[in-house]
Amino acid sequence: MTADLHSVAAEALEAVSAAPDLAALEAVRTRYLGRGDGELTSFRRGLGKIPDPDGRRQMGQMVNELVQRVGDALDERQRAIERNARAQSLEMEALDLTRPAPPLRRGRLSPVTLAAREIRRIFGLLGFEAVDGPEVEYDRYNFTLVNQPPGHPARDSQDTFYIDDWRLLRTHTSPVQIRSMLIRGAPQRVIVPGKTYRRDHDATHMPMFHQVEALCIDEGIAVSDLKGSLEFFARSFFGASSVLQWRPHHFPFTEPSLELELACVVCHGSGCSVCKYSGWLELLGSGMVHPQVLRNGGVDPERYSGFAFGMGIERAAMLAWGIPDMRLLYDNDVRFLVPETAIDGPSERSAP
Ligand code: DAH
């Protein structure tokens, strides 16, 4: 019995030092020290069969000692395993605050912002001051005061986001012409980039888009001033060799009205699906400010005249950089975000 006891105890101690983790260690504990039926503790049951009281006591002491020793070894091994685990996790989670951070990617600007900045810069060279106006506008400013009386097709609720009977989301930047005349009077030169809203959504229209408006009022302003200024702008923005043409048009707020067209940037005039086989792309609307509009802004049309123009900024960016779908401008595709350092005219820049 003694020999058995010692060999079981030796086996138990070996199992303890071989246990790789806490679960294995717990299994060793149950196997050898389990209450009642542990391989070591069950020697206690055999003690009753030893007839000699001295022998029984000695044997009992030995069992107790070995149970104690295996128990101590188990506790010691448990502490060692826990120590190791802690050291390992500390090493894994180590954070070196002195290490250099990974480089940050620089913020970029969208083609719409770049185009708006470039337009402002070019008109700045001609002495135009950039101003803005409210996006929630009175019906009166958006339509009536720019000669779009009630019943005009542009007022159709299909095109306009109305807020109530008096207010709407401006459908163009033209109401700022009225506001600027009322604030600044004459003479003045302003450029107005800003957000505009229409109930439209497809490859070439967004419900929110950007327009830029310009207004130039002074004594003796003529169509030649309009054409000179806008051709200077178009050649600065689209490149010195851009081919341009003027067409008569109609806008309620200008008389006469002219549209500026750019030879198709894709086919250069020979005709393709982009220009609908006309060879030309519509660029902007313009004209001499209607005398009634001047009057509505408090400017005397007997003394002053002026020219105005309006243009979609998304469209200008699409033409300058060959972007085929307006929705791409709002998809957060990082390839469309050219570096902020690209401050040359769009004509000098490659496609974003
Ligand atoms: N407001 C016009 C539009 O949204 C654009 C426009 C055309 C503005 C001619 C003007 C202009 O100032 O003279 O389509």
Side-chain angles (χ1 to χ4, degrees):
M1 186 170 177
T2 317
D4 277 359
L5 177 61
H6 279 284
S7 80
V8 170
E11 203 184 285
L13 290 171
E14 214 162 285
V16 169
S17 49
D21 52 35
L22 292 178
L25 201 63
E26 202 43 42
V28 174
R29 193 187 291 276
T30 315
R31 177 168 171 194
Y32 291 96
L33 300 188
R35 214 171 280 279
D37 61 350
E39 286 187 28
L40 205 55
T41 41
S42 59
F43 276 96
R44 286 181 178 135
R45 263 191 266 142
L47 291 175
K49 291 180 202 135
I50 299 172
D52 164 31
D54 270 356
R56 200 189 309 147
R57 192 169 42 77
Q58 267 178 9
M59 193 63 188
Q61 244 171 21
M62 207 183 296
V63 174
N64 282 348
E65 261 173 42
L66 290 173
V67 166
Q68 178 75 39
R69 199 183 311 163
V70 171
D72 288 349
L74 279 163
D75 292 348
E76 177 49 39
R77 179 80 189 129
Q78 180 170 342
R79 280 193 292 274
I81 290 174
E82 284 169 354
R83 252 195 324 272
N84 273 346
R86 202 169 321 124
Q88 230 170 44
S89 82
L90 279 177
E91 192 169 327
M92 268 167 48
E93 292 163 16
L95 182 63
D96 180 357
L97 294 175
T98 65
R99 278 182 63 174
L104 284 178
R105 292 186 62 186
R106 284 192 60 199
R108 315 260 172 128
L109 295 172
S110 89
V112 174
T113 305
L114 285 174
R117 284 190 179 184
E118 181 64 4
I119 294 164
R120 261 207 308 256
R121 187 188 70 79
I122 296 166
F123 277 93
L125 299 174
L126 297 175
F128 284 72
E129 176 195 357
V131 302
D132 59 14
E135 288 168 32
V136 174
E137 184 55 280
Y138 292 107
D139 173 292
R140 201 171 128 72
Y141 282 79
N142 193 81
F143 291 132
T144 310
L145 294 176
V146 290
N147 276 355
Q148 283 168 248
H152 193 281
R155 285 172 156 260
D156 194 317
S157 62
Q158 281 195 343
D159 300 325
T160 308
F161 292 108
Y162 276 94
I163 289 170
D164 53 31
D165 286 348
W166 300 278
R167 289 173 307 165
L168 42 76
L169 294 180
R170 67 180 179 191
T171 59
H172 53 175
T173 42
S174 300
V176 188
Q177 287 192 27
I178 302 294
R179 290 179 173 276
S180 186
M181 282 190 271
L182 293 175
I183 292 167
R184 292 174 188 84
Q188 66 164 298
R189 269 178 249 182
V190 293
I191 178 109
V192 192
K195 290 187 169 73
T196 47
Y197 302 84
R198 287 183 202 178
R199 296 170 61 156
D200 251 341
H201 202 179
D202 59 36
T204 51
H205 297 92
M206 298 286 292
M208 186 284 292
F209 58 106
H210 294 76
Q211 276 195 348
V212 58
E213 189 90 10
L215 176 67
C216 170
I217 300 175
D218 207 336
E219 290 180 18
I221 294 292
V223 173
S224 53
D225 296 304
L226 180 162
K227 290 175 79 176
S229 305
L230 298 186
E231 284 177 16
F232 170 78
F233 157 71
R235 295 217 159 85
S236 306
F237 192 83
F238 294 101
S241 55
S242 304
V243 179
L244 304 167
Q245 86 172 0
W246 290 98
R247 270 176 175 274
H249 203 79
H250 169 78
F251 297 106
F253 28 85
T254 45
E255 182 57 38
S257 302
L258 300 116
E259 204 169 60
L260 183 56
E261 294 188 335
L262 179 68
C264 180
V265 291
V266 176
C267 66
H268 304 288
S270 58
C272 69
S273 60
V274 170
C275 59
K276 302 201 180 78
Y277 301 94
S278 71
W280 295 96
L281 298 166
E282 188 187 300
L283 195 59
L284 55 85
S286 65
M288 301 305 290
V289 183
H290 196 289
Q292 186 55 48
V293 173
L294 289 175
R295 235 173 267 128
N296 293 344
V299 171
D300 177 8
E302 299 298 326
R303 180 168 171 199
Y304 292 103
S305 55
F307 73 80
F309 96 100
M311 180 179 76
I313 299 181
E314 280 82 353
R315 187 172 164 77
M318 288 168 73
L319 294 179
W321 291 303
I323 300 166
D325 187 325
M326 191 177 287
R327 289 169 291 203
L328 286 167
L329 295 171
Y330 294 101
D331 276 352
N332 290 331
D333 185 328
V334 290
R335 288 172 299 174
F336 279 87
L337 302 178
V338 301
E340 194 177 357
T341 47
I343 49 168
D344 299 334
S347 49
E348 272 86 47
R349 290 202 287 267
S350 52

